[in-house]
Amino acid sequence: VQLQASGGGIVQAGGSLRLSCVASGRPLSSDAVAWFRQPPGKEREFVAALRWSFGTTFYADSVKGRFTISRDNAKSTVYLQMNSLKPDDTAVYYCAADYDGGVGSNDYDYWGQGTQVTVSS
């Protein structure tokens, strides 16, 4: 499966952005799809995940209540709606997919390219 992430940009603190991740190559009907991020100088960290077939979601504590992961079956697209953004959310954001994906980056074999999100104070 190929993943194409987009939607990053520069936004002021308190603002919103929506990231998109379009999948191609095969259906994601049995996959978990996740967003990870890598802040400057830090390791990649889990943000949110969605089990495609059930629509169940899971979030890192740091984004719970502010970010929402969702999917559009017809468009084979996963979204990450990010509200109330903080400077600490500044990072390169990546989408990932795999059959047995969880909250660890090692759980995923398929990755999109990153999209930069910068939140200014």
Side-chain angles (χ1 to χ4, degrees), residues 97-108:
D98 214 320
Y99 289 120
D100 296 322
V103 300
S105 58
N106 290 336
D107 295 342
Y108 296 86

Side-chain angles (χ1 to χ4, degrees), residues 57-72:
T57 58
F58 188 75
Y59 297 92
D61 288 343
S62 59
V63 306
K64 201 171 295 184
R66 300 188 297 122
F67 290 11
T68 303
I69 188 171
S70 62
R71 73 189 190 298
D72 185 322

Side-chain angles (χ1 to χ4, degrees), residues 2-111:
Q2 293 79 46
L3 303 173
Q4 181 76 30
S6 63
I10 302 172
V11 63
Q12 289 189 333
S16 299
L17 281 174
R18 188 178 77 161
L19 306 183
S20 300
C21 178
V22 180
S24 61
R26 64 165 174 79
L28 294 178
S29 56
S30 299
D31 290 71
V33 183
W35 288 95
F36 288 80
R37 67 186 181 186
Q38 188 162 13
K42 297 183 179 180
E43 294 186 352
R44 193 170 298 188
E45 62 186 28
F46 171 77
V47 175
L50 177 147
R51 173 61 62 179
W52 195 277
S53 57
F54 300 108
T56 52
T57 58
F58 188 75
Y59 297 92
D61 288 343
S62 59
V63 306
K64 201 171 295 184
R66 300 188 297 122
F67 290 11
T68 303
I69 188 171
S70 62
R71 73 189 190 298
D72 185 322
N73 288 330
K75 297 181 178 179
S76 295
T77 300
V78 172
Y79 301 101
L80 185 68
Q81 178 67 42
M82 305 185 295
N83 298 329
S84 302
L85 283 161
K86 306 174 182 179
D88 285 349
D89 295 318
T90 295
V92 178
Y93 283 71
Y94 299 88
C95 60
D98 214 320
Y99 289 120
D100 296 322
V103 300
S105 58
N106 290 336
D107 295 342
Y108 296 86
D109 284 338
Y110 304 101
W111 290 84

